């Protein structure tokens, strides 16, 4: 039996930091409200001309180096993003060209904040069946490009960043299971109108019914956590670390409560980079690994929830 395991992780945040104090000057909000209701203290914004693939390349090179590999060793690229550089070629292919691993499959997955979970699940299957040996999985976004900077309900939340992992085959898990879901009935609660087929209209802007999204996110993440534990015959106490989607500290706390995990066992990075959609889970994972909290052999539960709605989880022996 072949499993996939995480060989290396990497992440990248653009240099420009946008603070809550700056947002106070842009919309009717306050640092106090943002911290209390979301946990966010600052976020990173891509420079003019800096694209999703630019951010992804930094994260990918760091993950490949951490895995002890060279870019040309990568034989599969799955790229989660909802803010692609171009309509096509997809971000996976644009990244492939820069890394120089020409000829290998490269594609992007467009499942909003769950993009990394979907990309990870697909890459895991390819490694498990022996068709990929060094799979690069990326989550990267420049959400600032479709943020409505006059809407206080969303401008305070969304931001830019990238995270990546390299998967390799292993005789022991590795990734124990992944669980993906989508429910299109909720598409109007969180979306960005405009596309090739419908036309780009006026301005690209994320629309969100925050309170409603919050409620469904807490419920669906709670149930996917139960599903993940049940699929592996595990008790809640088996989890060493929760590595959650970094959307709102209150959603993170609700999932931690569901798992009976103290917040010391949860990787929380939302204060530093806000909601970076597909980038948020691999960013948090990389930060938790590089600062020494997450150690080899520990059991990690990753989860994310986003527009669609789409959501998913992964149980990983690191
Ligand atoms: O990653 C994908 C998923 N996205 C999410 O997970 C986001 C989910 N939703 C949320 O994180 C939260 O719902 C928000 C942070 C968006 C909003 O927090 P909330 O606690 O649900 O606030 P609310 O919408 O119930 O609004 C409470 C009050 C309202 O004022 P009144 O009606 O009580 O007078 C809002 O108008 O807070 C007001 N408000 C704000 N005040 C200051 C809403 N946004 C702001 C703001 N600054 N930015």
């Amino acid at each position: 039996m072949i499993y996939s395991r995480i060989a290396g992780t990497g992440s990248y945040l653009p240099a420009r930091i946008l603070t809550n104090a700056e947002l106070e000057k842009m919309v009717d909000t306050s640092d106090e409200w943002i911290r209390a209701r979301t946990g966010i203290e600052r976020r990173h914004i891509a420079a003019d001309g800096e694209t999703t693939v630019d951010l992804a390349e930094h994260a990918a090179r760091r993950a490949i180096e951490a895995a002890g590999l060279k870019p040309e060793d990568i034989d599969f690229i799955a790229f989660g993003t909802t803010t692609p550089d171009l309509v096509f070629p997809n971000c996976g292919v644009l990244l492939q060209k820069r890394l120089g691993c020409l000829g290998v499959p490269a594609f992007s997955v467009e499942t909003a904040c769950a993009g990394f979970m979907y990309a990870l699940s697909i890459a895991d299957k390819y490694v498990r069946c022996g068709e990929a040996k060094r799979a690069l999985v990326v989550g990267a976004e420049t959400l600032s490009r479709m943020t409505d900077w006059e809407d206080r309900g969303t401008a305070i939340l969304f931001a830019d960043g990238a995270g990546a992992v390299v998967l390799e085959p292993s005789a022991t898990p590795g990734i124990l299971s992944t669980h993906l879901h989508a429910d299109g009935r909720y598409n109007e609660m969180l979306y960005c109108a405009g596309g090739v087929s419908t036309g780009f209209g006026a301005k690209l802007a994320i629309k969100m019914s925050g309170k409603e999204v919050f409620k469904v996110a807490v419920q669906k993440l709670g149930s996917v956590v139960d599903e993940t534990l049940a699929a592996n015959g595990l008790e809640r106490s088996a989890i060493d670390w929760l590595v959650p989607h970094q959307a709102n500290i209150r959603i993170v706390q609700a999932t931690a409560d569901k798992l009976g995990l103290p917040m010391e066992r949860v990787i929380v990075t939302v204060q530093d980079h806000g909601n970076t959609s597909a980038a948020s889970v691999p960013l948090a994972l990389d930060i938790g690994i590089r600062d020494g909290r997450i150690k080899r052999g520990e059991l990690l539960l990753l989860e994310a929830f986003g527009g669609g709605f789409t959501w998913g989880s992964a149980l990983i022996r690191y």
Side-chain angles (χ1 to χ4, degrees):
M1 182 86 175
I2 307 174
Y3 297 94
S4 75
R5 72 185 277 278
I6 294 179
T9 63
S11 61
Y12 180 77
L13 290 163
R16 160 92 167 100
I17 294 174
L18 179 65
T19 63
N20 291 348
E22 287 174 272
L23 277 164
E24 284 178 353
K25 294 178 195 139
M26 297 160 67
V27 287
D28 180 16
T29 192
S30 67
D31 174 47
E32 190 191 2
W33 191 96
I34 300 172
R35 283 174 193 253
R37 306 305 294 172
T38 73
I40 301 169
E41 296 171 16
R42 63 192 75 82
R43 69 284 293 141
H44 292 247
I45 303 294
D48 286 349
E50 192 176 31
T51 70
T52 295
V53 174
D54 290 334
L55 308 188
E57 184 181 355
H58 289 293
R61 288 191 185 279
R62 288 174 183 176
I64 292 165
E65 191 186 355
L69 298 172
K70 296 194 182 67
E72 54 270 29
D73 296 328
I74 296 299
D75 63 5
F76 185 93
I77 300 178
F79 194 130
T81 187
T82 197
T83 47
D85 288 23
L86 303 171
V87 172
F88 76 89
N90 73 72
C91 284
V93 173
L94 299 176
L95 180 62
Q96 182 217 52
K97 181 183 172 192
R98 295 188 191 192
L99 295 177
C101 44
L102 305 176
V104 310
F107 59 92
S108 58
V109 185
E110 185 199 348
T111 48
C113 299
F116 177 79
M117 303 311 305
Y118 271 69
L120 184 73
S121 181
I122 296 166
D124 173 53
K125 305 293 180 292
Y126 272 81
V127 173
R128 285 173 95 125
C129 76
E131 286 195 24
K133 295 225 163 3
R134 309 274 185 250
L136 175 65
V137 187
V138 180
E141 304 279 11
T142 46
L143 292 175
S144 62
R145 301 277 150 70
M146 59 179 190
T147 298
D148 180 351
W149 293 107
E150 292 172 1
D151 174 15
R152 68 178 183 171
T154 52
I156 59 157
L157 298 174
F158 297 109
D160 306 336
V165 307
V166 174
L167 298 182
E168 65 180 10
S170 167
T172 54
I175 297 184
L176 288 140
S177 68
T178 60
H179 306 268
L180 303 179
H181 294 281
D183 189 335
R185 286 175 300 177
Y186 296 103
N187 70 323
E188 286 177 4
M189 282 191 193
L190 177 54
Y191 66 98
C192 179
V196 176
S197 186
T198 52
F200 283 97
K203 67 173 178 181
L204 282 179
I206 300 170
K207 304 279 183 207
M208 182 172 75
S209 309
K211 218 177 183 55
E212 287 70 31
V213 175
F214 188 103
K215 282 185 206 147
V216 185
V218 168
Q219 191 234 322
K220 299 296 185 194
L221 289 173
S223 65
V224 83
V225 159
D226 284 343
E227 177 189 351
T228 309
L229 292 173
N232 291 279
L234 290 173
E235 297 296 325
R236 302 184 310 172
S237 56
I239 305 298
D240 291 308
W241 292 101
L242 174 64
V243 186
H245 177 42
Q246 311 285 322
N248 184 318
I249 189 68
R250 293 183 294 136
I251 298 177
V252 172
Q253 272 159 347
T255 311
D257 286 351
K258 174 93 190 172
L259 279 167
L261 270 184
M263 287 305 280
E264 297 78 58
R265 306 305 294 176
V266 182
I267 304 296
V268 178
T269 55
V270 69
Q271 69 281 0
D272 294 325
H273 56 69
N275 185 344
T276 57
S277 186
S280 100
V281 170
L283 250 170
L285 178 65
D286 184 53
I287 289 166
I289 287 172
R290 283 179 192 258
D291 70 18
R293 275 178 289 172
I294 297 175
K295 296 184 180 57
R296 282 285 177 197
E298 289 185 319
L299 195 60
L300 321 179
L301 203 162
L302 280 51
E303 45 84 339
F305 177 91
F309 292 139
T310 52
W311 65 101
S313 66
L315 189 73
I316 300 176
R317 179 72 64 189
Y318 177 64

